[in-house]
C-alpha cells in the first residue's frame, strides 16, 4: 500500500482504517419519496455523490427492526460500490432495452442498482455460481420486485454459449477484499499473498468468459473491492492485450476524491466516504455478430392451460402484458411477453435458472399467491390490504399472530406497512393465517425492541 499511496497518503489511509466505516443505503427508485417515511434521522441523510439515491446514515440502525427494509424500500449498500451507477450513466445507452448479465451477482447489490436504472423492457440475468448464495440473491431480487429478470447459477464458462448476446456484462469479481479491512475483520484474517495470486488468476478466467458474452460494441465492467495491482491493474492490462476491448474513461469531479489508477477508478477510504473499491469500464470492439437459433419451446416450463388464465387476472397489474407458464413442481411463472424470445434463448443454453416471477400455485381451482407476488411490481394495487403499525408489522414478519381490526377484509389480504406490501395473510372468521415463508421470518426477538428518539438520535432499546 505504501508504494501505491506514498508515505503521507499511507498515513492518512492507515488513520482512516481506524475510523468507523460509513453506513449507507440506496433508496428504491420506484418509491424514492419513501425516504421521508424512513425511521432514520432525516437532516443527516447526506447524499452519496455518485448515486442520486444513495444516502449516508449517521449511525448503523438495526435494519431488521424496520419493516420497510423487508418490503424492499431500500438496499443496504456500501457507498463506493454505488459508483457503478455513474460508470453506466457515462458509458451505456440506458434509453433502450438492454440484455444485461451480472456475472458475479450475490447478494444482489449491483443487480438491484441496475434494475433501477435500466429501460423497463430490459432483461437482467443475475448469476451466482455458488448455489447457496444464489438463493440469497433470488430472495433479494424478489424483495426488489422487478419481473424482468432471470436468476441463474452457472459457472462463467457456461455463458460462452451465449457468445456476444449481452449489451452489458458486469463482473464484480470475487477478490482478496483488501478494501473491506475496515468494515469486515474477517477480510483481514482471510487475506494472504497466495490468496491475492489465486484471486487474480480466478478473475482472469472469469473475465475471459465475460468478454465472450459481451455483444460487439457492448460494455464490460470489471470491479473489485481490493487495491493490489495483480488483481486490478494486471487484469485490466490482460484484457487490453486481447485486443478485443478498448478502455473507457469517465469524467469524474475531482471533489469526489476518486483516484485514476491502473486503467480504472480506485476508491480509498481516506479520500472518499466509503470502502476500498476499483472499477474499470471497457467497450468491446465491433465484429460480426453471432446469430442464435431459438428453441421451439421452453425446456421444462409448460404453457399454462388457457382455462386457468381468468383466475389470475385480478391478482395482477396489467396481466395482458404477461405470459404464464408452469414449472414441473406446478409453480406459475409470469414473464413479460416482450421478453419471451430472450428467455427461450437463455433456457436453451443455461442449466440452473429461474425466470421472471413465480406468482403462486393452483390448489384445485383456487389460486394460492406466492410471497414473491406480494413483493412484486406485478401485484395488483387493487387487492385488499391491511395497513399495519410498526409493532404488528414486525409480528407479521416474525410470523406471529396479532389482533386485526373487527372490520378487516376476509380471504387473501396483503399485510402492508406505510403502503408497502410485506406478505400475505388469510383472514378467516376469528383467526388469521400468516403466509410469510418460514425461511423469511425475522429471527431476532422483536418484543419490546423499539426505535426510540434519544436527544435527536434514534436508538434501539435506548442503546446506541
Ligand atoms: N456483485 C455483488 C453485489 O454487488 O452484491 C457482489 C459480488 S462478490 C464481490 C463476488 C461474487 O462472486 C460472490 O458472490 C462469489 O460467490 C462469486 N464467485 C466466487 N467464485 C466465483 C467464480 N469462480 N466465478 C464466478 N463467481 C464467483
Amino acid at each position: 500500500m505504501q508504494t501505491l499511496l506514498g508515505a503521507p497518503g499511507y498515513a492518512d489511509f492507515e488513520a482512516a482504517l481506524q475510523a468507523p466505516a460509513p453506513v449507507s443505503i440506496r433508496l428504491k427508485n420506484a418509491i424514492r419519496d419513501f425516504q421521508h417515511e424512513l425511521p432514520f434521522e432525516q437532516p443527516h441523510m447526506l447524499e452519496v455523490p455518485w448515486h442520486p439515491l444513495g444516502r449516508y446514515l449517521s449511525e448503523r440502525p438495526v435494519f431488521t427492526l424496520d419493516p420497510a427494509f423487508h418490503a424492499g424500500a431500500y438496499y443496504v449498500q456500501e457507498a463506493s460500490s454505488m459508483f457503478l451507477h455513474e460508470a453506466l450513466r457515462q458509458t451505456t445507452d440506458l434509453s433502450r432495452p438492454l440484455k444485461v448479465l451480472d456475472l458475479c451477482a450475490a447478494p444482489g447489490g449491483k443487480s438491484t442498482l441496475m434494475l433501477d436504472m435500466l429501460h423497463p423492457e430490459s432483461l437482467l440475468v443475475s448469476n451466482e455460481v455458488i448455489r447457496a448464495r444464489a438463493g440469497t440473491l433470488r430472495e433479494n431480487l424478489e424483495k426488489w420486485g422487478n419481473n424482468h429478470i432471470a436468476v441463474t447459477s452457472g459457472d462463467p464458462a457456461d455463458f460462452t454459449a451465449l457468445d456476444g448476446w449481452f449489451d452489458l456484462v458486469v463482473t464484480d469479481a470475487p477478490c482478496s477484499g483488501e478494501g473491506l479491512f475496515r468494515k469486515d475483520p474477517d477480510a483481514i484474517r482471510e487475506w494472504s499473498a497466495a490468496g491475492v495470486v489465486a484471486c487474480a488468476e480466478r478473475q482472469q478466467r472469469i473475465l475471459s468468459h465475460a468478454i465472450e458474452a459481451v455483444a460487439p460494441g457492448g460494455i464490460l465492467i470489471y470491479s473489485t473491492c481490493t487495491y493490489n495491482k495483480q488483481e486490478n491493474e494486471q487484469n485490466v492490462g490482460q484484457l487490453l492485450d486481447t485486443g478485443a476491448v478498448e478502455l473507457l474513461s469517465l469524467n469524474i469531479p475531482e471533489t469526489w476524491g476518486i483516484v485514476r489508477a491502473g486503467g480504472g477508478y480506485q476508491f480509498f477510504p481516506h479520500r472518499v466516504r466509503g470502502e476500498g473499491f476499483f472499477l474499470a469500464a471497457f467497450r468491446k470492439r465491433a465484429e460480426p455478430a453471432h446469430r442464435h437459433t431459438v428453441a421451439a419451446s421452453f425446456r421444462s416450463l409448460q404453457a399454462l392451460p388457457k382455462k386457468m388464465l381468468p383466475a389470475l387476472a385480478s391478482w395482477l397489474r396489467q396481466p395482458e402484458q404477461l405470459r404464464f407458464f408452469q414449472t414441473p413442481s406446478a409453480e406459475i411463472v409470469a414473464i413479460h411477453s416482450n421478453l419471451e424470445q430472450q428467455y427461450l434463448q437463455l433456457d436453451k443454453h443455461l442449466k440452473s435458472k429461474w425466470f421472471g416471477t413465480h406468482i403462486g400455485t393452483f390448489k384445485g381451482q383456487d389460486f394460492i399467491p406466492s410471497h414473491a407476488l406480494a413483493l412484486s411490481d406485478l401485484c395488483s394495487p387493487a387487492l385488499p390490504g391491511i395497513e399495519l403499525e410498526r409493532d404488528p408489522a414486525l409480528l407479521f414478519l416474525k410470523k406471529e399472530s396479532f389482533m386485526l381490526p373487527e372490520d378487516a377484509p376476509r380471504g387473501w389480504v396483503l399485510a402492508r406497512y406505510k403502503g408497502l406490501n410485506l406478505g400475505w395473510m388469510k383472514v378467516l372468521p376469528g383467526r388469521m393465517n400468516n403466509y410469510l415463508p418460514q425461511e423469511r421470518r425475522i429471527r431476532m426477538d422483536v418484543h419490546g425492541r423499539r426505535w426510540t428518539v434519544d436527544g435527536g438520535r434514534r436508538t434501539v432499546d435506548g442503546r446506541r
Side-chain angles (χ1 to χ4, degrees):
M1 281 308 290
Q2 258 166 334
T3 0
L4 261 182
L5 296 171
Y10 184 71
D12 292 346
F13 171 77
E14 232 186 351
L17 290 191
Q18 308 310 315
V23 182
S24 47
I25 59 170
R26 182 170 38 74
L27 304 165
K28 183 168 165 160
N29 196 11
I31 51 168
R32 54 199 304 160
D33 290 341
F34 192 83
Q35 65 176 307
H36 304 297
E37 303 283 339
L38 293 171
F40 312 128
E41 298 160 85
Q42 299 302 326
H44 302 294
M45 289 238 294
L46 290 179
E47 290 189 12
V48 174
W50 42 85
H51 198 299
L53 297 173
R55 300 285 182 274
Y56 292 107
L57 308 184
S58 53
E59 62 186 346
R60 190 171 191 90
V62 182
F63 290 110
T64 308
L65 295 180
D66 179 15
F69 168 69
H70 302 276
Y74 55 89
Y75 192 94
V76 182
Q77 187 172 38
E78 193 284 302
S80 303
S81 55
M82 296 182 202
F83 182 65
L84 177 62
H85 180 276
E86 187 60 25
L88 296 184
R89 201 182 66 76
Q90 291 193 34
T91 57
T92 308
D93 178 4
L94 298 162
S95 66
R96 65 183 180 97
L98 298 175
K99 286 182 281 196
V100 180
L101 172 61
D102 187 359
L103 190 53
C104 312
K110 309 281 182 314
S111 283
T112 53
L113 181 149
M114 289 193 278
L115 284 169
D116 273 7
M117 292 186 83
L118 295 171
H119 182 284
E121 284 171 28
S122 296
L123 171 65
L124 174 73
V125 179
S126 204
N127 179 68
E128 168 55 46
V129 67
I130 299 175
R131 281 293 181 97
R133 288 176 60 81
T136 311
L137 174 65
R138 180 175 163 178
E139 190 176 318
N140 283 333
L141 292 184
E142 260 181 25
K143 223 157 85 170
W144 213 245
N146 301 68
N147 172 249
H148 295 195
I149 54 170
V151 177
T152 59
S153 184
D155 185 89
D158 298 345
F159 290 87
T160 311
L162 286 159
D163 199 5
W165 202 71
F166 293 97
D167 304 294
L168 166 66
V169 174
V170 171
T171 305
D172 189 32
C175 70
S176 59
E178 293 160 356
L180 301 179
F181 281 1
R182 171 167 69 177
K183 202 173 145 224
D184 177 9
D186 284 346
I188 305 177
R189 277 191 289 277
E190 285 163 14
W191 186 94
S192 69
V196 168
V197 175
C199 284
E201 284 171 3
R202 187 189 304 142
Q203 288 165 20
Q204 197 188 338
R205 186 182 82 84
I206 295 172
L207 285 169
S208 71
H209 298 304
I211 190 64
E212 284 186 64
V214 184
I219 301 295
L220 172 69
I221 302 284
Y222 163 51
S223 60
T224 69
C225 50
T226 207
Y227 306 112
N228 68 75
K229 289 188 175 183
Q230 289 107 300
E231 287 174 77
N232 299 338
E233 188 171 336
Q234 287 182 18
N235 275 324
V236 168
Q238 278 178 337
L239 268 175
L240 294 176
D241 286 348
T242 63
V245 291
E246 59 175 310
L247 190 61
L248 300 179
S249 42
L250 308 174
N251 283 323
I252 305 297
E254 248 183 60
T255 50
W256 287 4
I258 300 164
V259 176
R260 246 205 109 123
Y265 297 85
Q266 184 82 67
F267 289 62
F268 293 107
H270 62 295
R271 295 185 53 101
V272 301
R273 205 166 161 197
E275 303 309 298
F277 183 65
F278 174 86
L279 182 145
F282 306 85
R283 180 176 290 112
K284 188 165 173 179
R285 294 184 196 282
E287 58 179 59
H290 291 260
R291 292 188 68 80
H292 294 276
T293 339
V294 179
S297 63
F298 284 110
R299 278 208 256 182
S300 55
L301 296 181
Q302 301 283 330
L304 190 68
K306 278 209 172 76
K307 62 176 188 211
M308 290 164 127
L309 297 181
L312 295 177
S314 64
W315 296 88
L316 299 160
R317 192 196 296 264
Q318 299 180 311
E320 68 286 354
Q321 297 187 356
L322 300 169
R323 296 262 290 126
F324 301 96
F325 296 88
Q326 243 172 339
T327 67
S329 55
E331 283 180 86
I332 316 293
V333 177
I335 62 166
H336 209 275
S337 47
N338 288 354
L339 296 178
E340 189 174 352
Q341 290 306 306
Q342 277 100 316
Y343 281 118
L344 274 169
Q345 290 171 321
L346 287 177
D347 199 25
K348 181 167 180 209
H349 294 292
L350 300 175
K351 285 189 210 101
S352 176
K353 64 232 150 178
W354 165 76
F355 294 156
T357 310
H358 285 213
I359 59 170
T361 48
F362 275 98
K363 207 169 174 187
Q365 298 301 308
D366 297 331
F367 179 66
I368 314 293
S370 71
H371 186 59
L373 176 61
L375 301 183
S376 167
D377 52 15
L378 298 184
C379 190
S380 167
L383 290 168
I386 298 179
E387 187 63 33
L388 301 175
E389 294 292 324
R390 185 174 159 273
D391 283 353
L394 285 175
L395 291 176
F396 173 80
L397 291 165
K398 211 168 156 43
K399 215 170 159 52
E400 289 188 1
S401 57
F402 50 90
M403 293 295 287
L404 287 177
E406 287 285 310
D407 59 351
R410 297 286 163 93
W412 288 105
V413 176
L414 285 156
R416 292 200 176 111
Y417 176 72
K418 297 188 177 176
L420 305 177
N421 292 347
L422 297 174
W424 296 104
M425 306 182 281
K426 194 151 187 201
V427 185
L428 305 164
R431 73 187 163 97
M432 177 274 277
N433 293 336
N434 183 335
Y435 273 77
L436 189 87
Q438 187 68 15
E439 67 283 3
R440 302 276 172 100
R441 83 194 150 86
I442 296 178
R443 282 159 222 277
M444 179 186 270
D445 175 20
V446 300
H447 296 280
R449 303 269 272 169
R450 297 276 183 280
W451 292 92
T452 56
V453 181
D454 171 18
R457 293 174 59 110
R458 285 179 188 271
T459 61
V460 176
D461 290 358
R463 282 183 283 113
R464 282 172 203 268

